[in-house]
Amino acid sequence: MTLLVAGSVAFDTVETPYGKREDILGGSATYFALSARFFTKPRIVAVVGTDFDEKYLNLFKKNGIDIQGLEIKEGKTFRWSGVYSDDLNRRTTLRTDLNVFEKFSPELKDELAKSTTIFLANIQPDLQLKILEQMKNPKIIALDTMNHWITGQKDFLIEAIEQSNIFFVNDEEAFLLSGERNAAKACKKIMNWGPEIIIYKKGEHGSIIFYKDKVFAIPGFPVEDAKDPTGAGDSFAGGLLGFIDMQGELNWEIIKKGAVWGTIIASFTVEDFGPEKLLNIDKNNLKDRLNQFRKMTYF
């Protein structure tokens, strides 16, 4: 199968209790692709400016990421700046400069449009729909969102959700969409719109997977030295969908195993600023942590 991610490639300025980093590589597509590459060769659909150094393009290529869908436009790359609370659970956005991303409207090459698995990161829903219109019979469509799009483009978002197989959502997003505070009720209501699977994200506390009449709850891996939680959710999605894409099918056992791999990869992401830790681990590191995780959760 072939995995495509449509999202952002950005430069982030991040401040946490453990330090500050300016203009480091970031963006939803970046974290997703660097996590999925442990299982498959992901394809990026995104846009950057002429200030995007070639070393980053080479970094993607070196890590087996297909960048034929990464457009380079005249102007500056999307930039985000934020600061985290002492416990890393609260984030305050200080600045968002969309730059070339503001007018991003990709026209997919035929090869990209034939991708069998697609992840639409938390970009604006009307853009998610435009990308879906260009896809040629994808087997798996996974979708993410955020509060801003729920309140600003809810009708477009629901239309995109109706076409998806997998929908990623957190507590507040689920409430805004469904009006239900209870996780099971909220996910059941959203599933009635179309998606077979709801990935209910609980941050550092893990996630709950809802699939038809089945439920799978998975804790987060306890990280002692978390430094920067930016990108953890996209890393989780990248690991999960990368594993599913490698397996070539979608069933309950594969979904559960994919969620475990996503959890393991996300636990590495938070141990350093930006995607630095992801770039310095291999599959053996993942397997070692998986064995630790298995001992923690087996009874």
Side-chain angles (χ1 to χ4, degrees):
M1 295 176 70
T2 48
L3 174 61
L4 179 146
V5 54
S8 61
V9 173
F11 289 128
D12 294 341
T13 295
V14 180
E15 183 174 358
T16 79
Y18 303 96
K20 182 177 181 179
R21 301 291 186 277
E22 296 185 2
D23 289 339
I24 56 177
L25 183 63
S28 57
T30 298
Y31 284 103
F32 180 94
L34 287 173
S35 300
R37 54 131 182 155
F38 291 109
F39 306 103
T40 189
K41 184 175 181 178
R43 301 166 163 181
I44 283 182
V45 172
V47 63
V48 294
T50 46
D51 59 345
F52 197 75
D53 197 288
E54 189 172 352
K55 69 180 181 181
Y56 298 118
L57 300 176
N58 292 332
L59 183 150
F60 286 138
K61 293 176 185 177
K62 178 183 176 182
N63 284 281
I65 297 168
D66 186 335
I67 60 171
Q68 63 176 303
L70 181 59
E71 300 178 23
I72 301 176
K73 297 287 188 181
E74 186 66 38
K76 292 185 176 181
T77 300
F78 176 30
R79 279 171 166 77
W80 174 83
S81 176
V83 59
Y84 286 88
S85 61
D86 288 346
D87 61 3
L88 300 179
N89 287 322
R90 296 181 305 279
R91 182 176 75 181
T92 301
T93 294
L94 301 179
R95 186 171 180 175
T96 302
D97 296 320
L98 294 176
N99 297 325
V100 294
F101 193 72
E102 185 173 9
K103 296 182 179 179
F104 181 47
S105 184
E107 299 293 336
L108 300 186
K109 297 177 182 178
D110 191 57
E111 183 181 351
L112 295 177
K114 291 179 180 177
S115 299
T116 52
T117 305
I118 178 172
F119 177 64
L120 299 169
N122 61 350
I123 54 179
Q124 56 265 44
D126 57 345
L127 182 54
Q128 291 176 328
L129 289 171
K130 177 175 180 178
I131 294 170
L132 282 177
E133 289 172 0
Q134 299 177 62
M135 300 303 297
K136 298 181 179 179
N137 300 315
K139 292 184 178 180
I140 300 170
I141 298 170
L143 188 75
D144 196 8
T145 194
M146 61 181 179
N147 291 0
H148 179 71
W149 305 129
I150 296 172
T151 56
Q153 289 195 20
K154 189 172 182 178
D155 290 343
F156 285 131
L157 176 59
I158 291 177
E159 186 179 345
I161 292 172
E162 290 172 344
Q163 299 182 49
S164 68
N165 305 96
I166 303 173
F167 182 53
F168 293 80
V169 68
N170 66 23
D171 291 303
E172 193 60 29
E173 293 160 358
F175 169 68
L176 287 174
L177 272 171
S178 68
E180 299 283 355
R181 280 293 184 189
N182 177 272
K185 288 182 178 179
C187 291
K188 184 177 181 179
K189 185 171 182 178
I190 296 170
M191 288 175 79
N192 287 334
W193 299 341
E196 306 165 64
I197 302 157
I198 303 292
I199 312 293
Y200 194 84
K201 301 179 292 184
K202 302 285 290 182
E204 66 174 320
H205 302 297
S207 58
I208 307 173
I209 317 297
F210 292 89
Y211 174 66
K212 297 180 180 180
D213 60 342
K214 298 180 175 66
V215 179
F216 177 60
I218 180 172
F221 184 90
V223 177
E224 294 185 12
D225 298 312
K227 294 180 180 178
D228 175 17
T230 309
D234 293 304
S235 291
F236 170 75
L240 189 155
L241 289 168
F243 179 79
I244 290 173
D245 187 73
M246 180 183 72
Q247 298 300 311
E249 60 180 312
L250 190 63
N251 61 47
W252 184 228
E253 292 304 315
I254 288 174
I255 293 164
K256 290 191 291 183
K257 290 176 182 177
V260 172
W261 280 116
T263 299
I264 295 302
I265 294 172
S267 74
F268 279 107
T269 301
V270 304
E271 290 186 332
D272 207 342
F273 284 86
E276 191 64 32
K277 192 63 180 278
L278 289 176
L279 296 169
N280 290 288
I281 58 173
D282 57 25
K283 198 69 177 286
N284 288 327
N285 298 122
L286 299 183
K287 289 178 179 177
D288 288 343
R289 185 158 291 186
L290 177 67
N291 289 331
Q292 295 178 50
F293 193 60
R294 182 179 285 113
K295 293 175 182 177
M296 294 175 186
T297 56
Y298 178 81
F299 66 93

